[in-house]
Amino acid sequence: MERKHLLTTKELTRSEIEAVLDRAAEIEAEGLHGASRDFLLGLMFFEPSTRTRLSFEAAAKRLGGDVVDLGALEASSVEKGETLADSVRVLEGYADALVLRHPREGAARMATEFIDIPLINGGDGAGHHPSQTLLDLYTIRKHVGLDGLSIGILGDLKYGRTVHSLAAALTNFDVTQHFISPESLRLPRDVRFDLHETGASVKEHTEMDDVIPLLDVLYVTRIQRERFPDENEYRAVAGEYSIDASTLEAAKDDLIVLHPLPRVDEIDPAIDDSPRAKYFEQSHNGVPVRMALLDLLLGGEDR
Amino acid sequence: MSEHELRVSKIRNGTVIDHVSGGQSLNVLAILGIDGTEGSVLSIAMNVPSGRLGRKDILKIEGRELNQDEVDVLSLIAPEATINIIRDFEVVEKSRVERPHRVRGILSCPNHNCITQSGEPVRSDFEVLDDGVRCLYCGTIVREHLAQHLLE
Ligand SMILES: [Zn+2]
C-alpha cells in the first residue's frame, strides 16, 4: 500500500480497496495466521468503543504484534486539558502505528500533521470510520459481490460515520445506493455533495416499503435516543425504521442484512437465525480485514 | 459614473475596490474588519449600473492598503473585483483578485464539533469550491455568509 495513513474512504481507490479485501481473504484462508510481523500498535480511544478496540487488538496480536492501549491514560490527560496534538506526539514514541478514535470530526487528519508513523482513523465524531467500511465491503463481496448491486442504507444517516464512509467507498463500484431515513436524519450536505461529484447513483427515501424489494443488501444503523428532543418522537421514529420478519417478506431471496453493531432494537432478534442475517459474521470479519490493513500499512510487500 | 462623481470621492492614500458584485460591499467591509469607527474616510457606492456585472459596488478606503490574505478572502465573495492601490492620488498598483485554491487561517469552521474548534494548535484550512468553501478537516461546506466566519 502506497499510503501511509487511512483517514477516510474518500481517498481510497478501487484497487486499494480490493488489495485489502484480497489480503484479508488470504489471511482468513490461512486460518488468521499467514503473517508474522513484529510491531507495537498504539490504541488511542478517546471515546468508549470496546468492540473496535478489541477487534484491532485481536488483529494486531494474530498478526504477531502487540498493542499498547493508551485509553485509560488518555482519558486522564483529556481531563487535564492536554491537546490531542501533544498526546499523539508523546505516544508516537511508544508505538509503530496508531489507531485513533476521537469524538471530533477531523481529529485523525489533524493528528497526522504531528506524527511520522502510520495512523488509522478509528472513527472521528460524525466523520469517518474507514476500517469498518472495509469489513463491510469484505462481507458484502463474499456474499453478493461488489458490482451490479442495489444497497439500502437505513437509519441515522446524518451522524452515522459508518454510513458516510460506506457511501463514499461504494462510489468505486457499480452500486445504486438507496438512503432511507427520517427527514431529520438524512445525509449531511457534504456527503451528498461528494456523492454527487463522483456521479454515483443515489436515491433518498423516507419510507422503506417500496425500496426493500429492490435491494441486494440492507445496511441497518442505530437511531440514537439523543438525536431527538423527546422520548415519544424517538420511539415513533425508531419503530418505523426497524426491521423484522414482516419487513423482509417482500425482499429478494438472497438479500443480506448487515449492521455495524451494537444494535438495540432496530433488528428483531427473531431474524438472527435467518440466512439473511450476516451482522455477526460481519463483526467477525473485522479481524482478518484489520490484519490485512495493518499488514499492508506496515509494508506488506517488503516482508 | 461621471467625472464629477469620481472627483469628489478621490482618495489620497488607500485602496479602491471596484467591480464588487452589487450589494456585497457591506460584506467586504466586514471581511476587512472595517466598521466606520476607525475614523478614516470611506466612500461606498452601491448598485451602480455596470456593463460587466449588471450592478456593482465600489469601495474607496482611505489610509489602508489591502494585503494578500485580505485579497484572498475578498475573492470569495467578490470574485470579479479589481483592487487599486492609491498613493498620493495615483494608482500605483492595479490587480484583479484571484480566487485561491485554499484559504488557511482566515475563516473559522462553523461546525462546533470540528477539531479546529477545540483549542488544538492548528490553523483552519479551507478548500475553495466553485460556490463556497469546505473545511479540509471535517468536510463541512459553507456557501452562505462567509463573512460571518472570519477569524478575529
Ligand atoms: Zn471543520
Side-chain angles (χ1 to χ4, degrees):
Chain A
M1 217 175 197
E2 286 298 310
R3 71 183 53 258
K4 180 161 182 181
H5 309 293
L6 180 60
L7 302 183
T8 76
T9 53
K10 287 197 289 184
E11 68 215 35
L12 290 177
T13 62
R14 179 174 177 134
S15 66
E16 282 180 294
I17 291 170
E18 286 174 336
V20 177
L21 305 191
D22 291 347
R23 183 77 189 105
E26 273 172 35
I27 287 171
E28 196 184 5
E30 289 160 2
L32 302 187
H33 298 289
S36 177
R37 194 174 268 291
D38 179 20
F39 68 100
L40 205 48
L41 181 66
L43 303 179
M44 302 179 67
F45 280 66
F46 291 85
E47 245 183 15
S49 170
T50 315
R51 228 163 272 271
T52 303
R53 211 183 64 233
L54 283 178
S55 177
F56 269 110
E57 182 167 352
K61 289 180 172 168
R62 286 210 178 258
L63 206 52
D66 206 341
V67 297
V68 276
D69 187 339
L70 311 151
L73 171 70
E74 285 321 293
S76 68
S77 50
V78 166
E79 279 155 28
K80 278 183 257 150
E82 185 178 59
T83 62
L84 174 62
D86 279 2
S87 302
V88 291
R89 274 181 287 194
V90 170
L91 302 171
E92 175 180 26
Y94 306 163
D96 301 303
L98 295 176
V99 180
L100 173 67
R101 160 72 61 98
H102 195 277
R104 285 184 180 267
E105 290 93 60
R109 179 193 140 157
M110 189 206 75
T112 62
E113 292 171 13
F114 294 94
I115 57 172
D116 286 321
I117 60 174
L119 181 139
I120 298 171
N121 182 3
D124 61 332
H128 302 271
H129 192 2
S131 68
Q132 173 72 44
T133 296
L134 290 167
L135 72 92
D136 296 340
L137 296 176
Y138 184 76
T139 311
I140 294 170
R141 186 173 83 164
K142 210 168 181 180
H143 292 284
V144 292
L146 275 172
D147 286 301
L149 295 181
S150 285
I151 298 188
I153 303 180
L154 174 75
D156 182 351
L157 311 183
K158 184 173 184 183
Y159 299 99
R161 58 190 163 210
T162 63
V163 170
H164 307 158
S165 282
L166 179 60
L170 287 173
T171 63
N172 286 295
F173 301 91
D174 173 21
V175 168
T176 300
Q177 302 190 55
H178 295 272
F179 294 97
I180 312 151
S181 71
E183 184 62 37
S184 63
L185 294 178
R186 70 186 286 222
L187 286 177
R189 172 153 82 174
D190 60 285
V191 177
R192 278 182 282 132
F193 175 86
D194 285 328
L195 292 174
H196 180 77
E197 289 284 289
T198 63
S201 173
V202 167
K203 298 197 172 70
E204 292 184 273
H205 313 264
T206 51
E207 286 172 24
M208 66 176 136
D209 294 352
D210 295 341
V211 189
I212 294 287
L214 309 174
L215 302 178
D216 303 291
V217 177
L218 178 59
Y219 192 94
V220 184
T221 65
R222 178 153 54 108
I223 293 180
Q224 295 185 23
R225 167 68 188 90
E226 60 265 32
R227 306 297 180 213
F228 291 88
D230 73 274
E231 185 73 21
N232 290 338
E233 196 186 333
Y234 161 69
R235 294 224 160 274
V237 169
E240 191 182 343
Y241 295 90
S242 63
I243 298 293
D244 59 22
S246 69
T247 325
L248 300 178
E249 262 167 26
K252 291 184 188 173
D253 288 342
D254 54 358
L255 168 93
I256 61 168
V257 179
L258 301 182
H259 190 301
L261 302 183
R263 73 171 151 180
V264 182
D265 45 18
E266 57 276 15
I267 298 179
D268 183 349
I271 68 167
D272 291 355
D273 294 331
S274 149
R276 298 184 187 287
K278 301 296 184 202
Y279 27 89
F280 293 113
E281 180 198 314
Q282 176 190 5
S283 155
H284 299 162
N285 286 339
V287 176
V289 170
R290 290 185 168 111
M291 288 172 75
L293 180 60
L294 288 168
D295 193 35
L296 294 174
L297 279 179
L298 292 165
E301 311 76 30
D302 51 48
R303 193 174 54 243
Chain B
M1 268 208 214
S2 73
E3 275 301 303
H4 177 69
E5 283 168 308
L6 277 175
R7 206 174 307 118
V8 292
S9 54
K10 264 197 172 172
I11 56 176
R12 176 188 284 273
N13 294 302
T15 306
V16 175
I17 309 171
D18 199 354
H19 299 107
V20 173
S21 326
Q24 286 294 323
S25 53
L26 297 179
N27 286 333
V28 170
L29 291 179
I31 279 183
L32 302 177
I34 296 172
D35 62 9
T37 60
E38 299 80 7
S40 47
V41 175
L42 176 69
S43 353
I44 305 171
M46 289 179 80
N47 296 315
V48 178
S50 155
R52 187 145 53 99
L53 297 171
R55 304 251 161 207
K56 67 171 185 177
D57 289 5
I58 306 163
L59 296 90
K60 303 189 180 189
I61 306 159
E62 181 73 48
R64 169 96 174 250
E65 293 186 9
L66 300 194
N67 64 37
Q68 192 56 46
D69 276 359
E70 292 168 329
V71 173
D72 282 354
V73 186
L74 193 60
S75 71
L76 301 176
I77 63 162
E80 306 287 327
T82 50
I83 312 281
N84 299 283
I85 304 292
I86 313 290
R87 288 181 198 149
D88 210 12
F89 297 109
E90 298 291 327
V91 175
V92 294
E93 207 182 305
K94 189 178 178 86
S95 59
R96 289 279 298 271
V97 300
E98 260 181 59
R99 222 171 151 72
H101 298 294
R102 276 167 82 170
V103 285
R104 303 198 68 186
I106 297 170
L107 298 167
S108 77
C109 184
N111 170 13
H112 297 299
N113 204 46
C114 177
I115 194 69
T116 62
Q117 297 299 301
S118 64
E120 296 289 336
V122 62
R123 292 168 82 198
S124 75
D125 196 354
F126 286 81
E127 175 191 5
V128 178
L129 309 173
D130 289 343
D131 59 347
V133 296
R134 176 175 213 177
C135 176
L136 282 166
Y137 288 91
C138 72
T140 296
I141 292 173
V142 190
R143 293 210 173 94
E144 300 88 20
H145 310 303
L146 285 181
Q148 290 172 8
H149 302 298
L150 288 169
L151 281 167
E152 290 302 306

